[in-house]
């Protein structure tokens, strides 16, 4: 996304359900020199389109942890939106619990805390194509061009369904590691699936500080509020924003 020869800090971004690494491409020009931006490439989309999508949270988390271990020679922060918040959280847990490694901060976005995840009225993992497409369009954040072309849908929807199955089946292990790093939770004021109360449920996952901040907008508030979000995120990492 935004490589750096001598990074002062690194940020690894985790996409939402049905999303891809390219969702974060627009962040690169807004980051100052010395901040390296990386994004997780889930299987089953973009340059990994021909790979079968992950079917479980474990299948998403394990490869990410392995790839992140060599990156810990610099301060490393995680940012995850929606489903990506849960993947980032589980990856941070695994790094600490299994490897004794700690990231500098965990930023979770558009996602209720463990135990407060919303249960959908219907399963989008098994919904008819037209209902799933309608839901994705209403939610926003997914490439709408692909949703309007039947040939592309055949390529895109299997990964989307797999992601939704993970979201619907995932529950954080209450006996898992409590993090020793600051956790910041961002959400949109008009997000029906992540309000102030459910977002506050992230507080118990860490022994360090917890902060929640709302932005104007819905579930994909971060598209319109990118500048403000990045200013806040960088300030919490002690990095001055780009001019």
């Amino acid at each position: 996304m935004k490589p750096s020869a001598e990074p002062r800090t690194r940020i690894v971004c985790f996409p939402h359900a049905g999303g891809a690494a390219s969702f974060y491409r627009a962040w690169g020009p807004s980051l100052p020199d010395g901040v390296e931006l990386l994004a997780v490439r889930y299987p089953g989309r973009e340059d990994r389109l021909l790979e079968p999508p992950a079917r479980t949270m474990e299948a998403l988390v394990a490869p990410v942890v392995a790839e992140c271990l060599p990156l810990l020679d610099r301060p490393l922060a995680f940012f995850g939106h929606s489903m990506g918040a849960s993947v980032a959280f589980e990856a941070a847990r695994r790094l600490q619990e299994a490897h004794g490694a700690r990231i500098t901060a965990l930023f979770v976005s558009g996602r209720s805390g463990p135990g407060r995840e919303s249960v959908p009225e219907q399963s989008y993992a098994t919904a008819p194509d037209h209902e799933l497409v309608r839901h994705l369009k209403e939610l926003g954040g997914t490439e709408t061009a692909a949703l309007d072309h039947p040939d592309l849908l055949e390529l895109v929807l299997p990964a989307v369904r797999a992601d939704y199955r993970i979201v619907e089946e995932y529950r954080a292990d209450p006996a898992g590691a409590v993090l020793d790093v600051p956790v910041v939770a961002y959400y949109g004021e008009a997000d029906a699936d992540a309000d102030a109360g459910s977002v506050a449920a992230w507080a118990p996952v860490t022994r360090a500080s917890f902060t929640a901040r709302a932005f104007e907008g819905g579930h994909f508030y971060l598209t319109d509020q990118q500048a403000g979000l990045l200013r806040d995120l960088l300030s919490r990492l002690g990095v001055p924003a780009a001019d």
Side-chain angles (χ1 to χ4, degrees):
M1 294 278 103
K2 181 180 181 291
S4 176
E6 290 293 332
R8 288 179 291 167
T9 191
R10 294 184 172 107
I11 303 171
V12 175
C13 296
F14 295 73
H16 53 279
S22 60
F23 180 76
Y24 294 102
R25 184 172 293 136
W27 285 24
S30 300
L31 297 177
D33 292 340
V35 176
E36 185 168 59
L37 180 69
L38 305 165
V40 176
R41 298 177 302 118
Y42 298 145
R45 63 214 78 190
E46 294 189 328
D47 59 340
R48 302 183 67 188
L49 183 64
L50 299 182
E51 299 180 36
R55 301 293 179 181
T56 65
M57 181 64 74
E58 171 65 19
L60 283 178
V61 170
V64 172
V65 170
E67 292 291 332
C68 284
L69 285 172
L71 302 178
L72 290 164
D73 61 330
R74 298 287 192 278
L76 179 67
F78 286 172
F79 178 96
H81 180 67
S82 198
M83 179 188 79
S86 295
V87 184
F89 167 56
E90 292 295 344
R93 261 186 165 182
R94 176 72 65 85
L95 282 169
Q96 180 174 304
E97 196 170 33
H99 302 280
R102 293 177 177 83
I103 59 175
T104 56
L106 172 65
F107 298 94
V108 291
S109 168
R111 181 75 164 149
S112 298
R116 292 292 301 274
E117 299 92 347
S118 61
V119 179
E121 295 181 0
Q122 70 174 106
S123 170
Y124 288 108
T126 57
D129 286 357
H130 70 278
E131 291 186 13
L132 179 55
V133 169
R134 176 180 53 79
H135 169 72
L136 293 172
K137 287 184 176 181
E138 290 175 352
L139 196 62
T142 300
E143 282 292 336
T144 57
L147 301 178
D148 291 328
H149 294 277
D151 291 342
L152 293 178
L153 277 180
E154 293 182 8
L155 298 175
V156 171
L157 288 189
V160 175
R161 291 187 184 281
D163 286 354
Y164 270 97
R165 182 170 287 105
I166 291 173
V167 170
E168 292 167 10
E169 295 179 352
Y170 166 75
R171 295 295 180 270
D173 181 1
V178 177
L179 298 177
D180 292 321
V181 302
V183 174
V184 180
Y186 297 118
Y187 65 102
E189 293 173 339
D191 189 345
D193 293 328
D195 59 18
S198 64
V199 167
W202 283 105
V205 308
T206 181
R207 283 184 281 261
S209 64
F210 170 76
T211 307
R213 178 174 176 184
F215 285 88
E216 183 179 347
H219 189 63
F220 281 97
Y221 73 91
L222 65 174
T223 301
D224 293 332
Q225 304 295 332
Q226 176 182 304
L229 172 63
L230 290 180
R231 279 196 301 270
D232 190 90
L233 186 154
L234 291 172
S235 71
R236 297 179 190 278
L237 295 177
V239 177
D243 295 332

